[in-house]
């Protein structure tokens, strides 16, 4: 404040007046988890439009109506942190409470209890750590409390799965469980006032989403990237499927040339013509008109009249990285189709400074922003991200394998594993690096040797006396190694081909961490770094063949 008082108002007014909506406001550097970080140029327009549209879409209240509160714990160099901790609060009068610097090392839960936010974005690892801590506490509870918790979770899962399909019923057992269990759990987490729980920035396991859903805490997924100024599509109560993203990003209206409105409620596009309503499932955009196709019916072309329209559509199957085709070459993805995606958006980024302020695509593609994710649509248009193009493993036999689905399946089959990473690019078979769940040092954030209570309990059940990671790794504990192999075998049985089966794996002597360099600031796996750090262990797996 003292520094600001030294700046004359005339100078500040002159600077403000010189700013233009389409000028670059900030540079956001990508995390670099799949390559060299890139600086993304975001304009004042990008930020103000996204903050306003995003906040309205998730029903964020203005301070004059209700005080919203958020907790800031991610690095402010990250686009999600800037949008949620700075720009949205400015637009809606949200109160931002800053967590301690060691938030991701364990103090975040204490901050949540103190602040009791009304909205919270947790990166997947935050939700996973909460889940692990709650399971550890539950394991120490009495038999009666464990039975009550299991009953409440079963009721919560059944009720909330029905709510995902549109049910509004709140049966008596659900209301009883909410009074006995859910409210207490929410308060213990500091989320008793939170009506909007989100996750983003990295893939989240279905098991984690189901765990919190069973406790009456639905976690909505947010999908986007730096180039889209953060969010591009956000799940919400009326358009929510586990591990997916809704078919349309924000609610909007489009005016038909004859005056008939096209309305999107976040789930369906409805073309109203008189009293009749028609669902529009497929969208094609040629730069000027939006084409709507209803089954085999003719395509209706509508001129866009909403300047802030944002859409996402998938391109044809087999599209290679760098193959940036225009929409006249694109085929919207139907049920089960896979492809690379593009963003069509008024609030898309300006470009990359290393490309002279322009994006690297041809001029006729301006307005389309290809992104590096792989995904598929279901019959209702929900998007499921299956991996990233740069993460694809191409075996020596030429088979393209997205690693994330296999990694998620292994973690679900072997719950004592903390991090897993599939390996096998240009190799004859797939192998995997795995780590055990262990306690983290609250000061340094480094993984410790001591196993979590959940893992210790698992070890006892399979006949192992191990209490530390070193106890397992040093002697290749037969009971634990057999349990891991059993889980991997179960995953292999579901593989669609032999090339997608995990032939070998190695248990590392420490877990991955931000401090160790294996994870990025949002807890995303830095695959190139891990490959370099553990190249000796990887080489040994393939040398044994």
């Amino acid at each position: 404040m003292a520094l600001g008082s030294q700046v004359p108002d005339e100078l500040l007014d002159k600077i403000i007046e010189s700013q233009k909506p389409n000028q670059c406001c900030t540079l956001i550097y990508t995390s670099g988890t799949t390559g060299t970080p890139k600086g993304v140029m975001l304009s004042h327009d990008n930020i103000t439009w996204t903050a306003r549209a995003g906040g309205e879409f998730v029903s964020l209240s203005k301070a004059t109506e209700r005080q919203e509160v958020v907790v800031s714990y991610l690095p402010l160099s990250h686009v999600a942190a800037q949008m949620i901790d700075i720009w949205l609060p400015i637009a809606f009068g949200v109160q931002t409470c800053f967590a301690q610097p060691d938030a991701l090392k364990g103090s975040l839960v204490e901050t949540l209890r103190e602040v009791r936010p009304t909205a919270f974005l947790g990166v997947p690892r935050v939700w996973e750590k909460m889940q692990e801590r709650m399971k550890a506490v539950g394991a120490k509870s009495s038999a009666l409390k464990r039975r009550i918790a299991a009953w409440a979770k079963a009721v919560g899962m059944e009720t909330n799965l029905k709510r995902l399909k549109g049910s509004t019923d709140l049966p008596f057992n659900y209301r009883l469980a909410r009074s006995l269990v859910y409210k207490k759990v929410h308060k213990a987490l500091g989320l008793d006032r939170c009506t909007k729980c989100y996750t983003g920035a990295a893939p989240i396991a279905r098991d984690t989403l189901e765990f919190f859903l069973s406790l009456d805490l639905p976690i909505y997924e947010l999908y986007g990237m730096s180039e889209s100024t953060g969010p591009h599509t956000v799940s919400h109560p009326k358009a929510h499927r586990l591990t997916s993203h809704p078919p349309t990003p924000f609610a909007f209206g489009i005016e038909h040339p004859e005056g008939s409105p096209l309305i999107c409620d976040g789930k369906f596009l409805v073309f109203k013509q008189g009293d009749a309503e028609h669902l529009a499932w497929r969208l094609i955009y040629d730069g000027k008109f939006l084409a709507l196709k209803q089954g085999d019916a003719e395509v209706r072309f509508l001129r866009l009249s909403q300047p802030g329209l944002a859409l996402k559509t998938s391109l044809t199957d087999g599209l290679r990285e760098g193959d940036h085709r225009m929409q006249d070459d694109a085929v919207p993805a139907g049920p089960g189709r896979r492809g690379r995606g593009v963003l069509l958006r008024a609030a898309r980024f300006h470009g990359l400074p290393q490309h002279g302020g322009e994006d690297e695509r041809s001029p006729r593609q301006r307005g389309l922003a290809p992104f590096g994710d792989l995904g598929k649509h279901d019959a209702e248009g929900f998007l499921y991200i299956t991996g990233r193009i740069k993460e694809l493993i191409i075996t020596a036999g030429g088979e393209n394998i997205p690693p994330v689905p296999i990694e998620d399946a292994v973690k679900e089959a072997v719950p004592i594993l903390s991090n897993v990473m599939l390996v096998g690019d240009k190799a004859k078979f797939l192998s995997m690096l795995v780590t055990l769940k262990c306690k983290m040092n609250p000061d340094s954030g480094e993984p410790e040797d001591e196993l979590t209570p959940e893992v210790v309990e698992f070890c006892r059940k399979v006949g192992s006396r191990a209490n530390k990671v070193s106890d397992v790794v040093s002697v290749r504990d037969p009971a634990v190694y057999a349990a891991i192999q059993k889980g991997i075998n179960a995953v292999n049985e579901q593989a669609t081909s032999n090339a997608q089966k995990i032939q070998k794996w190695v248990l590392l002597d420490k877990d991955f961490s931000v401090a160790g360099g294996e994870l990025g600031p949002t807890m995303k796996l830095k695959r190139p770094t891990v490959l370099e750090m553990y190249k000796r262990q990887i080489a040994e797996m393939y040398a044994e063949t």
Side-chain angles (χ1 to χ4, degrees):
M1 295 297 289
L3 288 174
S5 63
Q6 299 174 15
V7 179
D9 289 345
E10 294 77 12
L11 177 59
L12 183 60
D13 291 339
K14 186 177 180 181
I15 293 173
I16 293 174
E17 290 171 2
S18 69
Q19 293 176 343
K20 306 299 179 185
N22 64 347
Q23 289 178 340
C24 180
C25 174
T26 184
L27 285 174
I28 299 288
Y29 277 83
T30 58
S31 60
T33 51
T34 59
T36 304
K38 297 179 177 64
V40 177
M41 301 170 63
L42 298 179
S43 69
H44 298 278
D45 247 359
N46 290 149
I47 292 167
T48 55
W49 183 88
T50 303
R52 185 183 71 253
E56 290 175 353
F57 181 73
V58 300
S59 302
L60 206 61
S61 300
K62 293 185 178 181
T64 53
E65 304 165 353
R66 173 175 174 262
Q67 182 61 64
E68 300 275 9
V69 182
V70 297
V71 171
S72 173
Y73 67 96
L74 291 173
L76 289 175
S77 56
H78 193 276
V79 68
Q82 284 206 16
M83 182 53 61
I84 293 171
D85 305 343
I86 299 177
W87 308 122
L88 276 170
I90 289 176
F92 288 83
V94 177
Q95 180 182 354
T96 300
C97 299
F98 289 88
Q100 297 297 321
D102 61 351
L104 291 175
K105 298 175 184 177
S107 69
L108 180 58
V109 173
E110 284 71 25
T111 302
L112 291 175
R113 291 195 193 109
E114 178 184 353
V115 172
R116 299 170 60 221
T118 59
F120 177 65
L121 169 70
V123 294
R125 197 61 178 156
V126 166
W127 293 113
E128 289 169 7
K129 287 296 184 182
M130 285 185 184
Q131 178 186 8
E132 291 171 12
R133 183 178 296 187
M134 292 169 69
K135 283 185 174 181
V137 172
K140 298 178 182 179
S141 301
S142 66
L144 177 60
K145 286 186 176 181
R146 288 201 300 270
R147 284 198 295 270
I148 293 174
W151 164 79
K153 289 173 67 177
V155 170
M157 178 64 73
E158 180 182 2
T159 303
N160 281 296
L161 285 177
K162 289 180 179 178
R163 291 168 80 175
L164 291 183
K165 297 178 182 179
S167 173
T168 58
D169 292 339
L170 300 177
F172 173 75
N173 57 355
Y174 165 80
R175 286 179 277 127
L176 180 61
R178 182 172 58 185
S179 177
L180 294 176
V181 178
Y182 308 148
K183 288 184 177 181
K184 294 179 181 178
V185 171
H186 298 180
K187 186 175 182 180
L189 293 175
L191 298 176
D192 53 312
R193 293 197 304 171
C194 195
T195 58
K196 295 173 276 290
C197 294
Y198 297 100
T199 187
I204 188 169
R206 185 183 185 90
D207 174 69
T208 301
L209 295 174
E210 290 179 343
F211 177 83
F212 285 99
L213 191 67
S214 71
L215 293 170
D216 205 34
L217 266 177
I219 300 174
Y220 302 106
E221 293 203 60
L222 180 154
Y223 178 73
M225 55 184 176
S226 301
E227 290 86 342
S228 64
T229 325
H232 181 68
T233 178
V234 184
S235 297
H236 58 91
K238 293 184 179 180
H240 185 203
R241 299 288 184 275
L242 296 181
T243 71
S244 76
H245 309 275
T248 51
F250 302 127
F252 59 87
I254 303 174
E255 190 71 18
H256 187 276
E258 298 176 0
S260 300
L262 176 74
I263 301 170
C264 173
D265 65 359
K267 185 175 181 182
F268 298 112
L269 284 173
V270 182
F271 176 66
K272 289 191 174 182
Q273 196 168 31
D275 293 330
E277 292 188 357
H278 309 277
L279 293 183
W281 295 93
R282 297 185 179 184
L283 301 95
I284 305 172
Y285 182 69
D286 67 358
K288 292 183 180 179
F289 294 90
L290 182 70
L292 306 178
K293 190 170 184 180
Q294 302 167 19
D296 295 326
E298 65 177 320
V299 175
R300 302 175 185 271
F301 287 92
L302 308 178
R303 184 180 297 275
L304 302 184
S305 65
Q306 179 89 353
L309 177 65
L311 294 175
K312 175 168 37 49
T313 180
S314 288
L315 296 183
T316 50
D317 294 351
L319 190 63
R320 299 183 303 276
E321 180 185 5
D323 189 359
H324 307 312
R325 289 186 234 165
M326 282 295 288
Q327 278 301 105
D328 52 2
D329 295 325
V331 179
R337 289 180 65 87
R338 291 172 170 82
R340 191 181 187 184
V342 297
L343 303 182
L344 164 59
R345 185 171 186 167
R348 188 185 62 81
F349 77 122
H350 273 202
L352 309 173
Q354 57 267 44
H355 291 281
E358 298 288 348
D359 64 50
E360 64 270 42
R361 291 162 290 284
S362 64
R364 75 192 194 104
Q365 291 180 291
R366 304 286 161 71
L368 294 179
F371 51 89
D373 292 316
L374 296 169
K376 63 179 181 179
H377 284 88
D378 65 11
E380 294 182 275
F382 282 80
L383 173 69
Y384 293 80
I385 301 298
T386 58
R388 290 186 61 78
I389 290 174
K390 290 186 178 180
E391 291 178 351
L392 271 180
I393 292 174
I394 304 176
T395 65
E399 182 150 354
N400 290 12
I401 301 173
V404 174
I406 298 176
E407 292 166 348
D408 286 346
V410 170
K411 290 173 70 174
E412 185 175 351
V414 191
I416 61 172
L417 296 181
S418 177
N419 283 285
V420 302
M421 189 178 109
L422 198 65
V423 179
D425 196 49
K426 301 177 183 177
K428 294 181 180 179
F429 60 86
L430 296 181
S431 61
M432 181 170 276
L433 303 174
V434 304
T435 69
L436 293 172
K437 292 177 179 177
C438 61
K439 293 185 177 180
M440 305 295 288
N441 186 298
D443 297 321
S444 66
E446 287 276 7
E448 296 182 339
D449 194 30
E450 189 175 354
L451 297 170
T452 63
E454 176 191 357
V455 179
V456 172
E457 182 184 7
F458 181 93
C459 289
R460 299 297 179 268
K461 288 181 179 179
V462 299
S464 169
R465 305 305 301 173
N467 293 300
K468 298 179 179 180
V469 176
S470 57
D471 293 341
V472 178
V473 177
S474 61
V475 298
R476 294 176 62 90
D477 188 301
V480 177
Y481 272 64
I484 296 174
Q485 186 61 59
K486 181 180 178 181
I488 290 177
N489 290 343
V491 173
N492 283 342
E493 289 176 3
Q494 303 300 317
T496 56
S497 69
N498 286 330
Q500 297 198 21
K501 293 182 178 180
I502 303 162
Q503 303 294 344
K504 294 188 177 183
W505 53 273
V506 61
L507 180 59
L508 302 177
D509 56 9
K510 70 166 189 170
D511 195 7
F512 297 162
S513 66
V514 175
E518 299 96 341
L519 304 178
T522 57
M523 315 295 277
K524 279 194 289 191
L525 187 60
K526 299 171 70 173
R527 295 179 187 271
T529 301
V530 173
L531 288 173
E532 180 63 27
M533 291 177 65
Y534 298 100
K535 60 184 178 182
R536 178 182 61 81
Q537 291 89 335
I538 295 171
E540 287 175 356
M541 284 192 286
Y542 290 100
E544 294 172 5
T545 58

